[in-house]
Amino acid sequence: MIEAEEFETVVDTTRPHRLQQLVMLALIALLILLPLWVYPVLLMKLMCFALFASAFNLLLGYGGLLSFGHAAFFGGSAYVTAHALKVWEVNPEFAILAGVAAALVLGLIMGLLAVRRQGIYFAMITLALAQMFYFFCLQAPFTHGEDGIQGFSRGRLFGLIDLADSNVLYYVIAVVFVASIFAIRRIVYSPYGMVLQAIRENEQRAVSLGYSVQRYKLGAFVMSAGFAGLAGGLKAILFQFATLTDVNWHMSGEVILMTLLGGIGSIAGPIVGAGLVVTLQNYFATTGFPVTTALGATFIVCVLLFRRGIVGELRHRFAARSKQ
């Protein structure tokens, strides 16, 4: 039998919170109206990193797996997308698909090696594999070393839509972003997502119920890599270059920071965290104040005041008030 408290926990986990639905609707409205007041390039950068953080949250927040190597998928896809546009001269949709495919393959390879371990061992394996990929990108001829891949055009989407116009590109990225967030949400609240969360809470119990834990973990790892690759491909098209910064371990640390600030285990959390980090980076980049210091101070404040992350804490307080 399930006790009352356990039943409430299951309901909170399996039923999409109404607050999340309202946030999603508000997000769509903001994406339509924000270009009227905010520089579109900043918004596009925010969406790329919000998708990256959401992909990472799919693995950490719902699978309980902390990866220090997600920059490999983000940057690897950016390199492949940029190479496809510059050398193969394909349409941008095919370039993005090539980048996502590369991220999926890389995620499958890394996942097969990493998911058999847990905790700090899993994190260290992903970090080691990502650093190996970083040095590969440093030496591989097609990446052009420290110069990266640059100087390519964005092309025409489906041969019709000219992405050279930043306003047009904004709405293309916005559509992809919203569709990806809905896809992640669908995965989380599907039977697969429920099993994944059960594995996160009690892996041994999931094994005793007959679930193939390794397969579920591997599936989450590969899907997370694919969405991260999609974010990297969009970012490469946006800025029209791909460099070693995209595959550096600092990028993996940055996406972890975004997810923790916003709140793990929620759909809106990584979006809010990415928005906060990107906004701070953009603001302090013009002031001369060290960006890392500002981010560190922000993280300390959030740890002290929002132990569950910004969205997680707000959701907890909202739930506590609704029960009163």
Side-chain angles (χ1 to χ4, degrees):
M1 297 294 292
I2 300 179
E3 300 294 336
E5 293 182 358
E6 294 179 355
F7 179 76
E8 291 178 0
T9 301
V10 172
V11 170
D12 290 340
T13 304
T14 58
R15 182 182 299 170
H17 201 284
R18 182 175 298 178
L19 179 61
Q20 291 183 352
Q21 296 175 342
L22 294 176
V23 170
M24 290 296 294
L25 293 175
L27 172 64
I28 296 174
L30 283 174
L31 290 177
I32 296 174
L33 299 175
L34 274 178
L36 300 175
W37 303 289
V38 183
Y39 188 43
V41 174
L42 175 61
L43 294 175
M44 287 186 279
K45 179 182 178 182
L46 193 156
M47 284 188 285
C48 290
F49 280 98
L51 178 56
F52 185 24
S54 298
F56 177 78
N57 183 58
L58 177 61
L59 184 65
L60 174 62
Y62 298 100
L65 300 172
L66 175 60
S67 169
F68 283 138
H70 259 52
F73 315 129
F74 182 81
S77 176
Y79 270 121
V80 173
T81 302
H83 182 78
L85 286 171
K86 185 173 184 178
V87 179
W88 299 340
E89 297 182 348
V90 299
N91 288 346
E93 64 271 18
F94 294 115
I96 293 175
L97 288 175
V100 173
L104 289 172
V105 172
L106 184 60
L108 178 61
I109 296 172
M110 291 179 60
L112 287 171
L113 297 173
V115 295
R116 297 181 181 276
R117 298 292 181 265
Q118 298 178 354
I120 190 64
Y121 302 104
F122 174 87
M124 290 298 100
I125 289 175
T126 56
L127 176 61
L129 293 173
Q131 284 301 101
M132 290 174 61
F133 184 74
Y134 169 83
F135 288 111
F136 166 77
C137 292
L138 180 63
Q139 300 295 332
F142 84 96
T143 63
H144 302 285
E146 296 182 354
D147 294 330
I149 304 176
Q150 51 188 313
F152 57 89
S153 64
R154 293 171 178 169
R156 290 179 174 271
L157 190 66
F158 306 117
L160 301 172
I161 304 173
D162 188 6
L163 299 183
D165 187 344
S166 294
N167 292 320
V168 174
L169 180 62
Y170 169 82
Y171 287 105
V172 170
I173 292 180
V175 169
V176 175
F177 171 69
V178 172
S180 300
I181 296 301
F182 272 105
I184 292 174
R185 186 177 184 275
R186 182 71 182 104
I187 292 171
V188 167
Y189 293 113
S190 68
Y192 176 89
M194 295 298 102
V195 175
L196 189 63
Q197 294 175 61
I199 294 172
R200 176 197 65 189
E201 296 298 327
N202 193 328
E203 183 172 332
Q204 296 303 319
R205 187 170 183 178
V207 172
S208 67
L209 292 174
Y211 291 107
S212 179
V213 171
Q214 302 301 330
R215 290 184 180 181
Y216 277 91
K217 286 184 178 180
L218 180 60
F221 195 91
V222 173
M223 286 188 291
S224 179
F227 282 113
L230 178 58
L234 293 175
K235 187 254 184 187
I237 290 180
L238 169 61
F239 293 108
Q240 296 175 272
F241 64 80
T243 65
L244 289 172
T245 303
D246 298 327
V247 293
N248 197 296
W249 67 270
H250 291 283
M251 186 64 71
S252 296
E254 197 169 291
V255 75
I256 294 174
L257 177 63
M258 292 175 182
T259 308
L260 291 179
L261 286 177
I264 63 173
S266 66
I267 301 298
I271 300 174
V272 173
L276 178 60
V277 171
V278 171
T279 302
L280 289 175
Q281 288 176 338
N282 182 72
Y283 175 77
F284 285 105
T286 60
T287 62
F289 189 83
V291 177
T292 53
T293 302
L295 291 177
T298 303
F299 182 69
I300 292 174
V301 171
C302 286
V303 168
L304 294 176
L305 300 180
F306 303 94
R307 297 181 61 184
R308 300 174 179 84
I310 297 174
V311 173
E313 194 67 34
L314 292 176
R315 185 175 61 177
H316 175 74
R317 294 180 182 180
F318 180 81
R321 289 182 179 182
S322 63
K323 292 179 181 179
Q324 292 179 353

